[in-house]
Amino acid sequence: MKKVIALLLCLVMVVSMTACSGGKDKETSGGSKEGSVDVGIVLPTKDEPRWLQDQDKFKSVIGETDYSVEVLFSQGSSANEKTNVETLISKGMKVLIICADDAAAAAASVEAAKEAGVTVIAYDRLITDTKAVDYYVTFDSVAVGEAMGKYLADNATGSGNPLYLYAGKATDNNAFLFFQGAWNILQPKIADGTFVIKNSSEAVALQDKATLTREQQSAIIGQVTTNWDFNEAKSKAEAHLTNVTAADKGKVYVLAPNDGTSRSIADVFAADADVSQYFITGQDAEIASVQYVIDGKQSMTIFKDTRTLATDAMNMAIDVINGKTPATDTTYNNGVIDVKAKQTPIVVVTKDNVKEALIDSGYYEASKFTGLK
Ligand code: BGC
């Protein structure tokens, strides 16, 4: 209700789009003061469809506000990110909404913002080891990992099922939360023999541990990271399949950390003559992966409704500007402080509920897909 009121109170403004390159990629809404910015939004990269979805949703939210908003992309570089934050500070930004490229490296950027009196909202990815984060708007990332683990576990019968683990980028705190969630569900199934890990000696060495320390997670993630990179995911999967025997293939189970990497890894497993069937996870409901799910090439994805995240973040920023305390429902420890957070649930999408979850909800138009039932 609060959200609706906040948005209704705002006037519809014309959004002007500018497309530049590198760290200067930006989108602005008209503001009251020429050249000034009330809310600065910094997103990690335009090279992954996930962040284009967020940009798109921010565009709709920005279109409904009379505050001046500028969105900048960091293109996978912490240096660009710092420059972006400094640019926004120089324009008088009051609130920064930032999805960090690197959780620890971003600390310097947000500390500079805090020093300039800016309120900092971490968006989707937590910024670690700094006190300079006021709020965190996020999906339930442990639940994302648990949903992936559960999907694999629910589809496995008998024992000795080959399991291949992949993870996100180690400088992204979410990679740890996703892995932690997946481990919560998969570890008991590894311990009871349902699954046998085939591609990580570090995970095998820790497979008796129900919970892992950050260091132990690091050891596994370091070995099976995709770095959120499609090509790295592909070459790792190829190397893993080359290193095992036909007996380690057959019907296999693959924990893939997101949609982009899932499609790469799925293509590798699909091309291996000794793989008779594979179950593979993903997240983000990227258009290409939704099509893969419809076509039976990716088993599931996780719908993270970026409409909710963008709206929550903007409403939080508007509350801050109006001197109100934003509503939060949990906290996340960033290594130094407990950051007040607003958390959004996630939805598991398989072939069976694509239409209901993604089309009927108005997130995508049916015309984007073929073979949809
Ligand atoms: C996000 C995922 C995304 C990944 C790679 C994570 O922090 O939560 O949705 O797939 O980064 O960009």
Side-chain angles (χ1 to χ4, degrees), residues 48 50-51 99 124-125 141 172 174-175 178 228 257-259 283-284 286 304:
E48 292 171 30
R50 159 68 213 269
W51 307 112
C99 183
D124 195 282
R125 297 177 177 171
S141 296
D172 177 356
N174 286 346
F178 301 145
W228 295 135
N258 77 347
D259 279 353
Q283 68 165 311
D284 295 336
E286 288 181 5
K304 297 162 81 172

Side-chain angles (χ1 to χ4, degrees), residues 29 31-38 68 70 87-88 90-93:
S29 77
S32 41
K33 286 162 272 152
E34 190 64 26
S36 77
V37 170
D38 296 318
S68 71
E70 185 163 331
T87 303
L88 294 165
S90 73
K91 292 185 177 184
M93 151 178 75

Side-chain angles (χ1 to χ4, degrees), residues 10-16 28-32 59-68:
C10 302
L11 298 171
V12 174
M13 301 294 295
V14 178
V15 177
S16 68
T28 47
S29 77
S32 41
K59 257 195 265 168
S60 338
V61 184
I62 290 168
E64 292 175 42
T65 180
D66 61 349
Y67 292 96
S68 71

Side-chain angles (χ1 to χ4, degrees), residues 27 31 33 39 65 78 81 83 101 114 122 138 146-147 151 158 173 205 224-225 254 275 294 315 350 353:
E27 168 196 328
K33 286 162 272 152
V39 182
T65 180
S78 294
E81 188 174 83
T83 307
D101 174 63
K114 279 305 285 180
T138 185
E146 286 176 342
Y151 182 86
N173 189 59
V224 297
T225 184
V254 186
V275 172
I294 295 168
N315 281 336
T350 64
N353 68 338

Side-chain angles (χ1 to χ4, degrees), residues 32-158:
S32 41
K33 286 162 272 152
E34 190 64 26
S36 77
V37 170
D38 296 318
V39 182
I41 301 174
V42 177
L43 295 176
T45 179
K46 282 198 157 189
D47 298 339
E48 292 171 30
R50 159 68 213 269
W51 307 112
L52 297 177
Q53 290 184 49
D54 294 76
Q55 180 199 27
D56 207 42
K57 303 314 165 203
F58 269 122
K59 257 195 265 168
S60 338
V61 184
I62 290 168
E64 292 175 42
T65 180
D66 61 349
Y67 292 96
S68 71
V69 184
E70 185 163 331
V71 183
L72 298 175
F73 279 87
S74 308
Q75 295 310 102
S77 146
S78 294
N80 279 347
E81 188 174 83
K82 185 114 198 301
T83 307
N84 285 341
V85 172
E86 282 159 0
T87 303
L88 294 165
I89 293 172
S90 73
K91 292 185 177 184
M93 151 178 75
K94 298 183 185 79
V95 181
L96 169 66
I97 297 173
I98 177 168
C99 183
D101 174 63
D102 177 314
S109 300
V110 294
E111 281 160 14
K114 279 305 285 180
E115 261 169 48
V118 174
T119 298
V120 175
I121 302 174
Y123 181 82
D124 195 282
R125 297 177 177 171
L126 189 58
I127 297 169
T128 54
D129 299 316
T130 177
K131 289 183 180 159
V133 187
D134 297 286
Y135 299 102
Y136 182 31
V137 176
T138 185
F139 293 103
D140 186 343
S141 296
V142 173
V144 168
E146 286 176 342
M148 291 174 171
K150 185 170 184 317
Y151 182 86
L152 296 179
D154 285 351
N155 283 285
T157 49

